[in-house]
Amino acid sequence: MTWWKEKRTYRYVFLALLGGLLVYFLYLVRKLCLPFILAVVLVYLLNPVVGRMEKRGASRVAAILILYLGVIIVVTGLFMYGVPRMVNQLEVFVENIPAYTDQVEGMVQHFQQRFDNSTVPPGVHQVVDERIRWAELKLVGVVRQAMDFLMALLGNLLNFALAPVLAFYIMKDLEMIKKWAVAQVPGEWKGDVLCLAKQVDLVFANFIRGHLTVVLLVGVLTSLAFLFIGLPFATMLGIIAGLAELIPYFGPLIGAIPALAIALLQSKWLALKVVITVTVIQQLEGNVISPRILGDSVGLHPLAIIVALLAGGHLFGIAGMLLAVPLAAIARILVSFAWAKLN
């Protein structure tokens, strides 16, 4: 019997069509995927703890509920302390925006006056003026993007609330889901697929658990350090610096810019203290925290990570930079597997 008449060929064609339809369906409902993505992140974070509690005699459902109760207590405590503080800092920041704007405008006008009085050639003068206007437009665009991001977070509150519910059912039936997925793989492919799945799972586990731990540590250290040096809005700026750690290499610079800008509006001495503080924390993070927690978590060369970050940022903005590293690591695993099979 020729290969196109074999029943196995029809099965593979059917699976390929089914996979294509599934990908197309996910593309159509991509805006609804956020709670599932958040649920997967929660599963990676909480499932190891659930497993340890199970080994000590607790049932899986009881372990999940106890862990959820503990998380709720911790999160509630953080909200009771952190949210009022953040709201207060935001209120003060909003009240000070006109004063900050006046300061920035005064600095720009002073610079332009000195520049106009200089003996710079007219052509260079025109180029500098254009660059100043370009920088102003870029700054306005960044502020608008930040406001759009905050509004998007508020608009996704339902998704954030739905994620723990989805995570509960995924963790509750995780072993059954794994067995079902393994059963769907054809026997001759099972070994290769399971090997690939384990490598991809390891990349996601290391990336999610490791990077979120680094984010938490850097955020807390930076907030405390900013409080110590007397920087306004220390908690808010520390959280921004911590979240920026999700972006390798470029994240520390992105997280330091808001703190340095606020410090410059206060005094040059405070700005210098911010630079020293950020430098010390980044040295601590780069030489102590990350090597101990992350290690070589994704198995990528630094140059490959930088290229992936630049490409992700160019194509999909901040979201692309956040997802660039794990996706690049998965691509490396798939290419290495395909190359090994072809040789």
Side-chain angles (χ1 to χ4, degrees):
M1 183 183 292
T2 52
W3 65 270
W4 62 83
K5 293 183 179 179
E6 293 183 5
K7 185 179 292 186
R8 184 173 61 178
T9 302
Y10 291 121
R11 185 172 64 187
Y12 291 161
V13 172
F14 172 75
L15 289 174
L17 290 174
L18 190 63
L21 289 172
L22 178 61
V23 170
Y24 181 64
F25 173 75
L26 291 175
Y27 172 77
L28 293 177
V29 299
R30 59 191 182 278
K31 293 184 179 179
L32 303 178
C33 291
L34 180 60
F36 293 95
I37 295 173
L38 294 174
V40 170
V41 171
L42 284 175
V43 170
Y44 271 105
L45 289 174
L46 302 180
N47 191 61
V49 182
V50 172
R52 293 192 192 98
M53 294 173 69
E54 249 191 317
K55 289 179 181 178
R56 294 185 177 183
S59 68
R60 190 161 188 83
V61 173
I64 296 171
L65 291 176
I66 292 170
L67 184 59
Y68 267 37
L69 179 61
V71 171
I72 289 171
I73 292 172
V74 172
V75 171
T76 303
L78 290 174
F79 266 80
M80 289 179 65
Y81 170 78
V83 170
R85 194 177 186 87
M86 284 288 294
V87 170
N88 182 56
Q89 290 191 3
L90 284 172
E91 287 177 352
V92 174
F93 180 72
V94 171
E95 291 174 359
N96 289 334
I97 284 178
Y100 289 152
T101 304
D102 291 340
Q103 281 184 266
V104 173
E105 288 179 352
M107 293 168 63
V108 172
Q109 288 174 1
H110 177 68
F111 172 77
Q112 287 179 331
Q113 285 174 0
R114 293 186 62 181
F115 185 70
D116 290 338
N117 296 329
S118 64
T119 57
V120 177
V124 177
H125 196 292
Q126 181 181 354
V127 171
V128 173
D129 284 340
E130 290 174 355
R131 290 294 92 188
I132 290 173
R133 286 193 291 271
W134 174 83
E136 290 174 349
L137 291 174
K138 279 290 183 182
L139 183 59
V140 172
V142 169
V143 173
R144 285 177 178 171
Q145 287 180 354
M147 293 303 296
D148 290 342
F149 178 73
L150 290 175
M151 294 305 295
L153 286 179
L154 292 175
N156 282 297
L157 286 177
L158 179 61
N159 291 330
F160 288 115
L162 185 59
V165 178
L166 294 173
F168 172 83
Y169 287 106
I170 293 173
M171 285 191 289
K172 173 178 171 290
D173 298 322
L174 188 58
E175 292 303 317
M176 185 179 69
I177 293 171
K178 287 181 179 179
K179 289 178 182 178
W180 176 85
V182 170
Q184 307 312 306
V185 181
E188 62 272 24
W189 294 1
K190 191 161 291 186
D192 292 336
V193 170
L194 289 179
C195 180
L196 282 173
K198 286 180 180 177
Q199 293 182 59
V200 172
D201 176 68
L202 184 62
V203 166
F204 273 122
N206 288 338
F207 184 81
I208 292 173
R209 295 170 196 154
H211 279 77
L212 289 182
T213 303
V214 172
V215 164
L216 179 63
L217 291 175
V218 171
V220 171
L221 287 174
T222 307
S223 297
L224 293 175
F226 285 168
L227 280 170
F228 179 75
I229 65 174
L231 181 67
F233 321 116
T235 305
M236 182 175 66
L237 295 171
I239 291 173
I240 292 172
L243 291 174
E245 288 291 325
L246 287 171
I247 304 173
Y249 299 112
F250 303 109
L253 178 61
I254 295 171
I257 289 174
L260 185 59
I262 295 294
L264 280 170
L265 294 173
Q266 305 296 318
S267 69
K268 293 179 181 178
W269 171 237
L270 184 59
L272 178 60
K273 289 197 287 187
V274 167
V275 170
I276 294 172
T277 300
V278 170
T279 302
V280 170
I281 290 175
Q282 288 309 313
Q283 288 299 313
L284 183 65
E285 182 269 333
N287 295 300
V288 179
I289 297 175
S290 288
R292 288 180 177 273
I293 295 175
L294 298 177
D296 188 15
S297 60
V298 292
L300 290 174
H301 190 276
L303 182 60
I305 293 176
I306 292 173
V307 171
L309 289 169
L310 292 174
H314 176 71
L315 294 173
F316 304 106
I318 296 296
M321 295 184 78
L322 292 174
L323 296 174
V325 175
L327 292 181
I330 292 170
R332 180 193 64 81
I333 291 170
L334 296 177
V335 170
S336 299
F337 172 80
W339 183 257
K341 286 295 180 181
L342 291 173
N343 289 333

